[in-house]
Structure formats: C-alpha cells, structure tokens
C-alpha cells in the first residue's frame, strides 16, 4: 500500500452478485467496511503450565460487512438487495478500495445478506439504508 498523508475513500465500490450470477455495482454507496479476520484464542493451560495460562490460536472470524447506501425504493439496487436477501444464498461479492496513489485493491469472497434496513424517512433529509452481510474468508489482490 502507498504511504503518505492518507487516502480519500472516493471511488470505493461494493459489488454484489445478482440472481444471474453477475457481479453488479451497488449504486449510491456512502460507506462500507472491509471485514477483517480476527483469530480467537483457546485456553490450553495444563498442570505443567507453571500457574500461567497458555493459549493456542482458535478459529478465525471474518466479522460482518456493513454498508450505508442512498435508499431509492424500486431502484435496480433496491431490487438486487431485496432479491439477494430473500435468496438466503452465499454469493460472490467484492469491495474495491482505492489507495493513495490511485491503484485499487479488490477484496473478494462470498457472503449472504442478513439485513437490509431503510431509514425512517427523515423530513427534508436524504434517504439511506443499511445492509449487513456475513462473509467468509476474503482475499485481496491488486488491480489498477
């Protein structure tokens, strides 16, 4: 990754797979996290541990994906998210992140959606919706 003063998130993109197995860009993305792997610890203390707890690495947890989008009822994005949620399927997805030098990274894996929640229609405000998903292991590779 490039080093310097920081990276603007402009250009970050979230892609989900539709029912026809085509990766489709989520339009109106405002924020998305890139889930990262955390490893649990499993206690392995025994009588020879010298009164000090010992641990071994346990299972990994990729965490949840969370994104905020502009909510447009009936739009192609709305239809895609509702269909993906109702399918209860693990499907390919990717998050494209932009580095400071303009290069991009594709973060890819499979995920099932858990929630898609529109806001409470604030008076005079922009409509948003939040979606959450449970990915499996995510791989990362440089693009351009």
């Amino acid at each position: 990754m490039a080093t310097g003063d920081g990276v603007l998130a402009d250009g970050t993109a979230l892609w989900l797979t539709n029912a026809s197995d085509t990766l489709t860009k989520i339009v109106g993305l405002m924020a998305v996290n890139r889930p990262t792997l955390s490893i649990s610890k499993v206690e392995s203390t025994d009588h020879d541990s010298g009164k000090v707890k010992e641990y071994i690495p346990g299972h990994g947890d990729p965490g949840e994906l969370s994104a905020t989008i502009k909510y447009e009822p009936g739009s192609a994005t709305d239809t895609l998210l509702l269909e993906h949620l109702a399918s209860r399927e693990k499907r390919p997805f990717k998050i494209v992140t932009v580095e400071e030098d303009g290069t991009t990274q594709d973060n890819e894996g499979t995920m099932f959606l858990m929630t898609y929640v529109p806001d409470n229609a604030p008076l005079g405000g922009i409509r948003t919706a939040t979606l959450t998903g449970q990915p499996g292991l995510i791989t990362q590779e440089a693009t351009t």
Side-chain angles (χ1 to χ4, degrees), residues 109-121:
T110 59
M111 172 179 71
F112 64 90
L113 286 182
M114 298 184 307
T115 64
Y116 173 47
V117 183
D119 63 14
N120 292 327

Side-chain angles (χ1 to χ4, degrees), residues 13-89:
L14 173 63
W15 297 70
L16 297 179
T17 304
N18 65 18
S20 302
D21 293 329
T22 302
L23 273 173
T24 305
K25 184 177 178 181
I26 299 300
V27 176
L29 181 67
M30 298 173 72
V32 64
N33 70 319
R34 186 187 76 198
T36 57
L37 189 64
S38 63
I39 307 298
S40 67
K41 64 180 183 180
V42 176
E43 186 177 344
S44 63
T45 307
D46 60 33
H47 290 283
D48 297 318
S49 296
K51 298 183 182 179
V52 176
K53 288 186 175 185
E54 295 179 348
Y55 298 92
I56 59 173
H59 292 145
D61 184 345
E64 292 181 1
L65 178 138
S66 177
T68 303
I69 64 169
K70 293 178 182 176
Y71 178 60
E72 295 183 45
S75 67
T77 293
D78 181 53
T79 302
L80 168 64
L81 291 169
L82 290 171
E83 187 279 324
H84 191 168
L85 183 64
S87 76
R88 303 170 64 101
E89 295 175 338

Side-chain angles (χ1 to χ4, degrees), residues 87-99:
S87 76
R88 303 170 64 101
E89 295 175 338
K90 282 186 176 182
R91 295 182 179 175
F93 80 100
K94 74 176 176 178
I95 301 171
V96 178
T97 55
V98 182
E99 295 186 12

